[in-house]
Amino acid sequence: MAATRSTGRRERLRAETTAEIKLTALDLMRSGGPDAITLRAIAREMGMTANAIYGYFATRDDLVTALIADVYTALADAVDTAWADSARRAPAERITAWAHAFRDWALTNPEGFRLIYGDPVPGYQAPAGGPAPDAARRVCVGIAALADAARAGTEPAPDDSGFTWDDFDPGLLHKVRPAFPDLPPAGVALALRIWAHLHGLITLEVYGHLRAQTFAPDKLFRSELDQLVRSLNLGR
């Protein structure tokens, strides 16, 4: 029994230290940019020896991979929850709920957003398949779901867009087509257009580029969503 308690205590302390290492890495990124993430700098901030921290992460790249996996999964959880919670609502409301969940997460976790979509960590080599393949797939499928909902909420129209499957990366199609087998090439293009609307404005806000231009970024975001919904002929 004593051995079991001792093992449980060690595991708990290890989990707590691992979490502190990750938080310290994000703090360093916040103050010094992505190149500030080094194991030695983290050890110094935490009062650990460099050798001790290597017992938790063998390399800086292992730590960065773990960070990206954590924040990407948190983003996927946030938007998936918003989508599931709005299941009984109209397409326009579901798209709006997903978009607000994405923005809220990004503003609450700006360093995480930058790790996923912004500043590359110098010299970082991601593992084969990417640092967070499941989370990346979930977010990608979520964006396709927005396009699928938009198409379902309008009268079907002839597809004269000229898009074909050859216009898209096979990796993207590998994620999207199993989830939405009836979504045509034009639907994939629509998903990318919706993503561009949302991602572009959120990126400007996360990086502080809107601060000098507007005191009401949320009002601007709501207006952009309204325009997007109207362009999709979904109403409100």
Side-chain angles (χ1 to χ4, degrees):
M1 182 67 70
T4 300
R5 285 200 299 270
S6 178
T7 300
R9 188 179 302 112
R10 284 197 301 271
E11 291 174 348
R12 184 175 66 255
L13 290 173
R14 182 175 181 82
E16 290 172 355
T17 303
T18 300
E20 186 178 354
I21 290 169
K22 292 176 180 178
L23 287 174
T24 303
L26 292 175
D27 285 342
L28 287 169
M29 181 178 174
R30 182 181 302 114
S31 60
D35 54 350
I37 300 177
T38 70
L39 294 184
R40 287 187 178 277
I42 293 167
R44 185 169 57 250
E45 289 292 319
M46 294 178 60
M48 297 174 65
T49 66
N51 286 340
I53 205 166
Y54 286 115
Y56 293 87
F57 295 97
T59 68
R60 189 280 313 261
D61 283 3
D62 289 341
L63 170 59
V64 173
T65 295
L67 283 173
I68 294 174
D70 282 356
V71 297
Y72 218 152
T73 299
L75 170 58
D77 288 345
V79 293
D80 283 353
T81 297
W83 190 251
D85 289 348
S86 62
R88 296 181 180 276
R89 300 180 188 173
E93 294 176 286
R94 299 198 75 190
I95 292 170
T96 299
W98 194 99
H100 278 296
F102 178 61
R103 176 176 179 265
D104 290 346
W105 181 89
L107 296 182
T108 304
N109 303 275
E111 283 72 40
F113 180 91
R114 290 170 64 186
L115 273 176
I116 301 172
Y117 297 118
D119 308 327
V121 177
Y124 170 64
Q125 297 292 320
D134 180 65
R137 178 195 58 78
R138 287 167 57 196
V139 173
C140 183
V141 168
I143 297 165
L146 305 183
D148 188 62
R151 290 173 59 83
T154 59
E155 289 294 322
D159 181 4
D160 57 358
S161 64
F163 283 104
T164 69
W165 295 123
D166 290 338
D167 293 322
F168 303 101
D169 176 70
L172 171 65
L173 299 180
H174 181 71
K175 297 182 183 78
V176 170
R177 296 189 73 182
F180 300 98
D182 295 329
L183 194 67
V188 178
L190 176 60
L192 294 177
R193 286 169 44 216
I194 293 172
W195 177 238
H197 276 273
L198 304 180
H199 186 269
L201 200 55
I202 290 170
T203 299
L204 289 174
E205 190 171 3
V206 167
Y207 277 84
H209 298 310
L210 291 181
R211 288 187 196 135
Q213 284 75 38
T214 177
F215 300 116
D218 27 338
K219 185 176 181 180
L220 186 65
F221 188 74
R222 289 195 302 271
S223 176
E224 176 69 9
L225 275 178
D226 287 343
Q227 292 284 349
L228 173 62
V229 167
R230 280 197 289 271
S231 75
L232 298 172
N233 298 316
L234 294 176
R236 292 296 299 176

PDB file of all heavy atoms in Angstrom, residues 71-85:
ATOM      1  N   VAL A  71      -2.523  22.607 -27.289  1.00  0.00           N
ATOM      2  CA  VAL A  71      -3.334  23.763 -27.648  1.00  0.00           C
ATOM      3  C   VAL A  71      -4.248  23.460 -28.827  1.00  0.00           C
ATOM      4  O   VAL A  71      -5.395  23.941 -28.880  1.00  0.00           O
ATOM      5  CB  VAL A  71      -2.450  24.999 -27.927  1.00  0.00           C
ATOM      6  CG1 VAL A  71      -1.688  25.405 -26.676  1.00  0.00           C
ATOM      7  CG2 VAL A  71      -1.488  24.782 -29.073  1.00  0.00           C
ATOM      8  N   TYR A  72      -3.779  22.651 -29.768  1.00  0.00           N
ATOM      9  CA  TYR A  72      -4.620  22.302 -30.918  1.00  0.00           C
ATOM     10  C   TYR A  72      -5.815  21.466 -30.457  1.00  0.00           C
ATOM     11  O   TYR A  72      -6.948  21.649 -30.930  1.00  0.00           O
ATOM     12  CB  TYR A  72      -3.799  21.527 -31.943  1.00  0.00           C
ATOM     13  CG  TYR A  72      -4.116  21.865 -33.392  1.00  0.00           C
ATOM     14  CD1 TYR A  72      -3.139  21.727 -34.376  1.00  0.00           C
ATOM     15  CD2 TYR A  72      -5.375  22.314 -33.776  1.00  0.00           C
ATOM     16  CE1 TYR A  72      -3.402  22.035 -35.706  1.00  0.00           C
ATOM     17  CE2 TYR A  72      -5.646  22.621 -35.104  1.00  0.00           C
ATOM     18  CZ  TYR A  72      -4.660  22.476 -36.058  1.00  0.00           C
ATOM     19  OH  TYR A  72      -4.926  22.775 -37.365  1.00  0.00           O
ATOM     20  N   THR A  73      -5.574  20.549 -29.524  1.00  0.00           N
ATOM     21  CA  THR A  73      -6.671  19.738 -28.997  1.00  0.00           C
ATOM     22  C   THR A  73      -7.672  20.601 -28.246  1.00  0.00           C
ATOM     23  O   THR A  73      -8.891  20.398 -28.352  1.00  0.00           O
ATOM     24  CB  THR A  73      -6.119  18.638 -28.077  1.00  0.00           C
ATOM     25  OG1 THR A  73      -5.250  17.783 -28.841  1.00  0.00           O
ATOM     26  CG2 THR A  73      -7.242  17.793 -27.489  1.00  0.00           C
ATOM     27  N   ALA A  74      -7.171  21.577 -27.494  1.00  0.00           N
ATOM     28  CA  ALA A  74      -8.073  22.481 -26.778  1.00  0.00           C
ATOM     29  C   ALA A  74      -8.929  23.284 -27.748  1.00  0.00           C
ATOM     30  O   ALA A  74     -10.135  23.492 -27.512  1.00  0.00           O
ATOM     31  CB  ALA A  74      -7.267  23.417 -25.883  1.00  0.00           C
ATOM     32  N   LEU A  75      -8.341  23.742 -28.847  1.00  0.00           N
ATOM     33  CA  LEU A  75      -9.112  24.458 -29.866  1.00  0.00           C
ATOM     34  C   LEU A  75     -10.170  23.534 -30.484  1.00  0.00           C
ATOM     35  O   LEU A  75     -11.340  23.923 -30.626  1.00  0.00           O
ATOM     36  CB  LEU A  75      -8.188  24.985 -30.955  1.00  0.00           C
ATOM     37  CG  LEU A  75      -8.872  25.544 -32.206  1.00  0.00           C
ATOM     38  CD1 LEU A  75      -9.812  26.689 -31.856  1.00  0.00           C
ATOM     39  CD2 LEU A  75      -7.840  25.988 -33.240  1.00  0.00           C
ATOM     40  N   ALA A  76      -9.768  22.325 -30.849  1.00  0.00           N
ATOM     41  CA  ALA A  76     -10.717  21.376 -31.440  1.00  0.00           C
ATOM     42  C   ALA A  76     -11.860  21.089 -30.480  1.00  0.00           C
ATOM     43  O   ALA A  76     -13.031  21.017 -30.887  1.00  0.00           O
ATOM     44  CB  ALA A  76      -9.998  20.085 -31.823  1.00  0.00           C
ATOM     45  N   ASP A  77     -11.545  20.940 -29.199  1.00  0.00           N
ATOM     46  CA  ASP A  77     -12.593  20.692 -28.201  1.00  0.00           C
ATOM     47  C   ASP A  77     -13.563  21.867 -28.129  1.00  0.00           C
ATOM     48  O   ASP A  77     -14.785  21.681 -28.030  1.00  0.00           O
ATOM     49  CB  ASP A  77     -11.971  20.468 -26.822  1.00  0.00           C
ATOM     50  CG  ASP A  77     -11.259  19.132 -26.692  1.00  0.00           C
ATOM     51  OD1 ASP A  77     -11.466  18.246 -27.554  1.00  0.00           O
ATOM     52  OD2 ASP A  77     -10.495  18.974 -25.719  1.00  0.00           O
ATOM     53  N   ALA A  78     -13.022  23.094 -28.169  1.00  0.00           N
ATOM     54  CA  ALA A  78     -13.866  24.285 -28.044  1.00  0.00           C
ATOM     55  C   ALA A  78     -14.847  24.411 -29.208  1.00  0.00           C
ATOM     56  O   ALA A  78     -16.052  24.643 -29.004  1.00  0.00           O
ATOM     57  CB  ALA A  78     -12.991  25.534 -27.943  1.00  0.00           C
ATOM     58  N   VAL A  79     -14.362  24.263 -30.431  1.00  0.00           N
ATOM     59  CA  VAL A  79     -15.254  24.440 -31.581  1.00  0.00           C
ATOM     60  C   VAL A  79     -16.191  23.234 -31.736  1.00  0.00           C
ATOM     61  O   VAL A  79     -17.357  23.398 -32.150  1.00  0.00           O
ATOM     62  CB  VAL A  79     -14.467  24.711 -32.874  1.00  0.00           C
ATOM     63  CG1 VAL A  79     -13.766  26.060 -32.788  1.00  0.00           C
ATOM     64  CG2 VAL A  79     -13.457  23.614 -33.179  1.00  0.00           C
ATOM     65  N   ASP A  80     -15.705  22.037 -31.413  1.00  0.00           N
ATOM     66  CA  ASP A  80     -16.587  20.867 -31.480  1.00  0.00           C
ATOM     67  C   ASP A  80     -17.729  20.981 -30.479  1.00  0.00           C
ATOM     68  O   ASP A  80     -18.871  20.595 -30.766  1.00  0.00           O
ATOM     69  CB  ASP A  80     -15.799  19.581 -31.207  1.00  0.00           C
ATOM     70  CG  ASP A  80     -14.976  19.125 -32.400  1.00  0.00           C
ATOM     71  OD1 ASP A  80     -15.110  19.728 -33.482  1.00  0.00           O
ATOM     72  OD2 ASP A  80     -14.202  18.153 -32.244  1.00  0.00           O
ATOM     73  N   THR A  81     -17.435  21.493 -29.296  1.00  0.00           N
ATOM     74  CA  THR A  81     -18.484  21.672 -28.280  1.00  0.00           C
ATOM     75  C   THR A  81     -19.517  22.692 -28.745  1.00  0.00           C
ATOM     76  O   THR A  81     -20.732  22.476 -28.600  1.00  0.00           O
ATOM     77  CB  THR A  81     -17.856  22.119 -26.953  1.00  0.00           C
ATOM     78  OG1 THR A  81     -16.984  21.091 -26.467  1.00  0.00           O
ATOM     79  CG2 THR A  81     -18.933  22.384 -25.903  1.00  0.00           C
ATOM     80  N   ALA A  82     -19.046  23.800 -29.315  1.00  0.00           N
ATOM     81  CA  ALA A  82     -19.983  24.815 -29.821  1.00  0.00           C
ATOM     82  C   ALA A  82     -20.863  24.247 -30.917  1.00  0.00           C
ATOM     83  O   ALA A  82     -22.067  24.535 -30.979  1.00  0.00           O
ATOM     84  CB  ALA A  82     -19.200  26.026 -30.341  1.00  0.00           C
ATOM     85  N   TRP A  83     -20.283  23.430 -31.781  1.00  0.00           N
ATOM     86  CA  TRP A  83     -21.046  22.832 -32.880  1.00  0.00           C
ATOM     87  C   TRP A  83     -22.080  21.849 -32.343  1.00  0.00           C
ATOM     88  O   TRP A  83     -23.240  21.846 -32.773  1.00  0.00           O
ATOM     89  CB  TRP A  83     -20.089  22.142 -33.842  1.00  0.00           C
ATOM     90  CG  TRP A  83     -20.714  21.687 -35.124  1.00  0.00           C
ATOM     91  CD1 TRP A  83     -20.966  20.404 -35.520  1.00  0.00           C
ATOM     92  CD2 TRP A  83     -21.169  22.523 -36.188  1.00  0.00           C
ATOM     93  NE1 TRP A  83     -21.538  20.383 -36.754  1.00  0.00           N
ATOM     94  CE2 TRP A  83     -21.681  21.669 -37.202  1.00  0.00           C
ATOM     95  CE3 TRP A  83     -21.193  23.898 -36.384  1.00  0.00           C
ATOM     96  CZ2 TRP A  83     -22.214  22.163 -38.383  1.00  0.00           C
ATOM     97  CZ3 TRP A  83     -21.727  24.388 -37.572  1.00  0.00           C
ATOM     98  CH2 TRP A  83     -22.219  23.525 -38.553  1.00  0.00           C
ATOM     99  N   ALA A  84     -21.679  21.024 -31.385  1.00  0.00           N
ATOM    100  CA  ALA A  84     -22.608  20.038 -30.822  1.00  0.00           C
ATOM    101  C   ALA A  84     -23.730  20.720 -30.039  1.00  0.00           C
ATOM    102  O   ALA A  84     -24.893  20.317 -30.124  1.00  0.00           O
ATOM    103  CB  ALA A  84     -21.847  19.067 -29.917  1.00  0.00           C
ATOM    104  N   ASP A  85     -23.382  21.769 -29.293  1.00  0.00           N
ATOM    105  CA  ASP A  85     -24.390  22.457 -28.485  1.00  0.00           C
ATOM    106  C   ASP A  85     -25.414  23.197 -29.330  1.00  0.00           C
ATOM    107  O   ASP A  85     -26.516  23.513 -28.848  1.00  0.00           O
ATOM    108  CB  ASP A  85     -23.712  23.448 -27.525  1.00  0.00           C
ATOM    109  CG  ASP A  85     -22.964  22.754 -26.396  1.00  0.00           C
ATOM    110  OD1 ASP A  85     -23.153  21.531 -26.215  1.00  0.00           O
ATOM    111  OD2 ASP A  85     -22.189  23.431 -25.696  1.00  0.00           O
TER     112      ASP A  85
END
